[in-house]
Every structure is written in C-alpha cells, then in structure tokens.
Amino acid sequence: MSSRHGRREGIDYDAIPAALAASAVEPGDAEFARVRSTYLRGGSPGLILRPGTPAEVGQAVRYARTQPVKLGIRSGGHGISGRSTNNGGIVIDVSRLNAIEILDKETRRVRVGPGARWSDVAAALAPHGWALSSGDYGGVGVGGLATSGGIGWFAREHGLTIDHLRAVDLVTADGSQVHADERENAELFWGVRGAGANFGIVTSFEFEVDEVGDVGFAQFVMDASDTAGFLERWGAAMESAPRDVTASVIIGGPRPGQPLIAQILAVVDSDDADTIVSRLRPISETAPLLDYSIQVRPYESIMHVPPATHQAQGDPVTRSALADHLTPALSAAAGELIASGLTYFFQVRAVGGAVSDVAPDATAYANRSANFSLVAFGPGRRALDAAWDGLLPHFNGTYLNFETDLRPERLHEAYPGTTLTRLRELKRRYDPDNVFRDNFNIAPSG
Ligand SMILES: Cc1cc2nc3c(=O)[nH]c(=O)nc-3n(C[C@H](O)[C@H](O)[C@H](O)COP(=O)(O)OP(=O)(O)OC[C@H]3O[C@@H](n4cnc5c(N)ncnc54)[C@H](O)[C@@H]3O)c2cc1C
C-alpha cells in the first residue's frame, strides 16, 4: 500500500511493468524502511524493484534504463564500493533469486542465486562435506562478491571465489538473458570474474566447490603496541605458512592509556589438533599474546549469521589496496596511519597461495601476485585519502570491493595494463549506453 506522497521526480511510476508492480516498494510503503538502506550505506531510493525470475530482471532493466535517475543493483546489500542504494533513484534488488541447487555430486557443481548470502551457501554445502571460500562474513551476498573477487577463509588453499566459477547467467543492458562460460561468450565470462557489475545483473552462478571437513578456527588478541614490528612479523609468518592456513588481522584505533590491540582471526583447513597448533604457533608468536581461543568446528558455523534488516546511515569512507609483502617500510607507514587515529578499523587479509597460481590475464582480477589485501575505514574522506595516498608506493594494485574512493586512478590500479582496455571493449559491446554504473564504472567512452 503506497501513500504516493513520497514519489520522486523523474520516475514514471505508471510505466512499471505489471509483473513487477506487486513486489515493488516506493517511499510511503510500509516496507520502505526495511529496504531503503544497506548494511553500510543510508539511502532513500524512489523505487525498489524486486524481480523474482530472470525474465522479470530483464523487464526491470528494460524499464529502469528508460528512467532518467540513478540505478543501483542489489543482491545481499553489503556493498562497500557498490552503491546498491541511492537517493531518488531506482534499485533493482535480486534478493529473491536466492536458490542453492546441487547440480552434480560427482563434480561438486552447484548453482547459486545472487540473492543467497554466504552463510546460506555454507549451510547448504556442509551436509555434503563441501565448502566454497567466499569472505569472512556470512551476511554478505553472493551477487556482489562473486562478480568481483572473493577473498575468503580458504583463499591461500583454494583461491578466490571467482576462481571456482564455471558459468554465469546474466541479464545484460538491453534486458536479454545471456549465458557465459569458458566456451560460450568467453570474453564476457572473463570480464564477469572481477568486473561483473559493469556488464549486467547475474541471475545465477555455477560453481565447482571444494571438499572441506571441520576446520580449526582461532582468535588471538595481541598487544600491537609495536605495530610496525607486529605487522612485519605477521606478514612474514603468513607468507611462510602452509597454504591450509589463511588469516586476517584487525586493528582498531588507539585508545588513551591502553595498549593498541590487534585481533587475529585464522582458519586452518584441518581437524587434527596437532596440525592446527603447529600452523598457528608462528602466527601467535608475532606479538605479546593477551588472550586466545582455538576451536575445531564446522566451517558453516564460522559463517553463520542470522538474517538482519539493514538500517545504515551515511556513506562509508574506506581505502583499499593489495600488497605483495608487508615490508618494513609498509609496516612502518601503516603503523603511523593507525597511530594517527585517521582509521578506526584497519584490516589485512592474507591472499597469495592458490590465488597467485592463476595467471593475471585469466580473469579480470589481475593483481595475482599480492600476498595481502588491506583496507582502512576512516571517519573523514579527505584526511584518510591524504594519508592513504602517501602509502601508494608500497602497494601493488587494489581490490575494489573494499574501496570507496572514486578518483579514476583506482580503476587503473584494479585493472592494470591491458585488463582495463579489454574491459572497456567489453563494455562497449555489452553496455554501450552505460546502464550499469553503480560500482567502479568502466565508461564505454573511456
Ligand atoms: C561486513 C563485510 C565483510 C566483508 N568481507 C569480505 C571478505 O572477507 N572478502 C571479500 O572479498 N569481500 C568482503 N566484503 C566485501 C563484499 O564482497 C562486497 O561488499 C560485495 O559487493 C557485497 O556483495 P552484496 O551482494 O552483499 O552487495 P550489494 O550491496 O547487494 O551489491 C554491491 C554491488 O555489487 C554489484 N552487484 C550486486 N549484485 C549483483 C549481481 N547480481 N550482478 C552483478 N553485479 C551485482 C552492484 O554493483 C552492487 O552495487 C565484505 C563486506 C562487508 C560489508
């Protein structure tokens, strides 16, 4: 039921396709408060379309492209770089496309809708003894993560989420349904794995998943007062660790009179206590240990997150980068940034290993040499940008999923050399009118 008072200029509400009208939400509807914002971003769209089939997604795209307002695409609503809400525009929300199907037990093929969350995927795969490395938080949606990378708990052992992708179905800018895999529309399939948001709305992903049993899950609380030394030692420990261990470090802002605290989270793909302890010991020795817990538990329990309504306000301010090594110079510069208070949440995730086995030109995620993904959240755009820009010489590209700086250099860092040229060619072919531009837009014109 709509009051119609909140209708926004520029949107022709009478032209909404009949099949979409019943599930559409507009300002004034009772449901609006639940769907206007995302996990990290406040918004007030003029219309949220919620197609329930790929054909309806096609209708939504054909309608939305005729409306002279912003267009956001939403799956799980956890976008950082992706503006999956907006002010006065249209959002196509594909969260209803959330089915998870086992296609073939022999080859461990599964088909997943973009609206599933990674906690749902982990729960559906667990009874088969399978898992798919995705990210560190189960509330994140499949659509945004699986079109851009996916740095998860088995990254060093099994690679990125996009490295497990075998086929996609998507709706392109003219509203048509297109299949892409290594044989059919192979160039599009290449581009979807790293820059998918620019080419359409993926309506299903076909993955080959891995065999995974119970795993070791560790949380260490460290005194990171010697921040530079700690980061350097942790980086070295990760680079020399066997691939069955993947870990991340989170450091909050400094607090007066208290030591700087770091939290290490680590997953060891083993259920053997001796193996788990031997993998974790070098990591735990990188700084004075204040507290820890180590458990053997199902991967799905690490990913479990109850569904929640998103009610964020404002816009996240982040910077992101990839680095080959946590060198003494990078570690010292990161230590200074953290001490300055310009970031309240600084995280380094381990990558490398199997991620680096994939050739840089095999997918649109080209920065394959990096052993680390870094992200900083800050209270202020200008101050964080100024500080982070000073760190750029230490980096080797970026992972756009954690980036909110819209200056054009970021595209070149994420898609180095010929990668961006190839992506622009694809954009001209599949989206010449630049319909999909809510997430690090690769403009057809350059
Ligand atoms: C708490 C948190 C933890 C995170 N942890 C990790 C992590 O460990 N590893 C990691 O790699 N990333 C991580 N991320 C980043 C995450 O992968 C991205 O933010 C991702 O875009 C979220 O996907 P979503 O579907 O939930 O987002 P949405 O907000 O729904 O979408 C974000 C953007 O993705 C694009 N998009 C969405 N759906 C589709 C689709 N069906 N087809 C094409 N494009 C689409 C659109 O451009 C959209 O604006 C994390 C994010 C958060 C908030």
Side-chain angles (χ1 to χ4, degrees):
M1 240 337 233
S2 164
S3 73
R4 297 181 176 222
H5 290 313
R7 288 193 158 182
R8 307 294 288 259
E9 211 161 306
I11 299 177
D12 183 354
Y13 291 89
D14 294 334
I16 297 171
L20 300 172
S23 59
V25 183
E26 59 179 87
D29 285 349
E31 271 199 83
F32 187 68
R34 276 196 337 106
V35 295
R36 61 185 293 173
S37 298
T38 59
Y39 183 75
L40 288 175
R41 193 168 269 121
S44 189
L47 178 65
I48 296 143
L49 297 173
R50 299 186 294 177
T53 64
E56 287 180 11
V57 175
Q59 290 189 38
V61 170
R62 275 192 290 270
Y63 163 76
R65 62 173 295 153
T66 64
Q67 306 299 303
V69 294
K70 281 189 177 166
L71 174 62
I73 309 306
R74 185 187 302 169
S75 286
H78 277 66
I80 300 172
S81 61
R83 271 70 177 172
S84 55
T85 189
N86 54 44
N87 187 13
I90 294 175
V91 170
I92 299 179
D93 177 333
V94 292
S95 57
R96 290 169 64 203
L97 300 180
N98 60 358
I100 302 169
E101 285 169 76
I102 308 297
L103 296 179
D104 184 27
K105 288 197 173 177
E106 198 71 2
T107 57
R108 299 189 303 276
R109 289 286 179 110
V110 299
R111 184 183 291 138
V112 183
R117 301 173 321 138
W118 288 107
S119 56
D120 307 326
V121 178
L125 299 185
H128 303 274
W130 301 342
L132 173 56
S133 191
S134 52
D136 60 11
Y137 186 63
V140 169
V142 169
L145 183 138
T147 42
S148 47
I151 297 174
W153 283 129
F154 305 112
R156 298 183 71 244
E157 186 180 21
H158 294 305
L160 300 173
T161 310
I162 56 169
D163 300 336
H164 294 77
L165 203 48
R166 299 292 173 261
V168 288
D169 290 299
L170 70 163
V171 169
T172 49
D174 61 1
S176 52
Q177 296 177 45
V178 175
H179 179 85
D181 60 27
E182 288 288 4
R183 283 190 306 263
E184 195 178 336
N185 297 311
E187 186 70 0
L188 180 61
F189 186 54
W190 168 84
V192 164
R193 289 172 292 164
N198 269 281
F199 303 112
I201 303 179
V202 177
T203 54
S204 79
F205 298 86
E206 196 176 313
F207 294 107
E208 182 177 328
V209 301
D210 294 303
E211 279 173 340
V212 175
D214 284 355
V215 298
F217 180 62
Q219 303 181 67
F220 297 111
V221 180
M222 321 289 283
D223 179 340
S225 302
D226 170 20
T227 316
F230 162 60
L231 286 174
E232 201 186 324
R233 286 188 293 275
W234 179 81
M238 285 315 307
E239 283 196 49
S240 54
R243 288 182 173 198
D244 55 11
V245 52
T246 295
S248 74
V249 167
I250 297 170
I251 306 180
R255 287 183 296 173
Q258 294 188 30
L260 192 70
I261 300 294
Q263 185 187 24
I264 297 178
L265 299 175
V267 166
V268 182
D269 184 10
S270 169
D271 58 4
D272 173 63
D274 292 339
T275 305
I276 293 168
V277 169
S278 76
R279 297 290 193 269
L280 294 174
R281 183 166 286 120
I283 296 171
S284 70
E285 290 171 351
T286 51
L289 186 59
L290 302 177
D291 197 4
Y292 74 95
S293 83
I294 303 174
Q295 301 163 322
V296 178
R297 51 194 273 193
Y299 170 71
E300 71 163 312
S301 75
I302 300 171
M303 296 301 281
H304 177 75
V305 179
T309 303
H310 299 149
Q311 289 179 329
Q313 294 180 355
D315 232 16
V317 173
T318 69
R319 290 303 300 271
S320 165
L322 294 166
D324 284 2
H325 310 288
L326 297 187
T327 60
L330 171 53
S331 302
E336 280 171 31
L337 172 72
I338 293 161
S340 72
L342 292 175
T343 174
Y344 58 84
F345 181 95
F346 178 87
Q347 184 170 20
V348 189
R349 290 174 170 81
V351 205
V355 178
S356 306
D357 291 346
V358 176
D361 63 356
T363 67
Y365 181 107
N367 293 308
R368 293 285 178 167
S369 64
N371 283 303
F372 301 99
S373 157
L374 299 87
V375 58
F377 283 69
R381 172 91 274 155
R382 214 177 290 172
L384 183 63
D385 278 346
W388 195 263
D389 287 353
L391 270 64
L392 289 176
H394 305 293
F395 298 145
N396 228 322
T398 191
Y399 175 45
L400 287 182
N401 253 354
F402 295 126
E403 182 61 81
T404 56
D405 174 28
L406 290 172
R407 285 174 291 172
E409 295 91 321
R410 305 293 85 80
L411 267 190
H412 291 272
E413 289 162 9
Y415 306 120
T418 53
T419 310
L420 187 56
T421 320
R422 248 175 108 174
L423 287 171
R424 226 184 276 291
E425 269 309 312
L426 260 182
K427 184 75 173 176
R428 279 196 272 269
R429 204 160 130 205
Y430 286 96
D431 187 12
D433 300 324
N434 209 12
V435 172
F436 300 112
R437 54 176 187 273
D438 74 342
N439 193 357
F440 281 99
N441 186 215
I442 300 165
S445 61

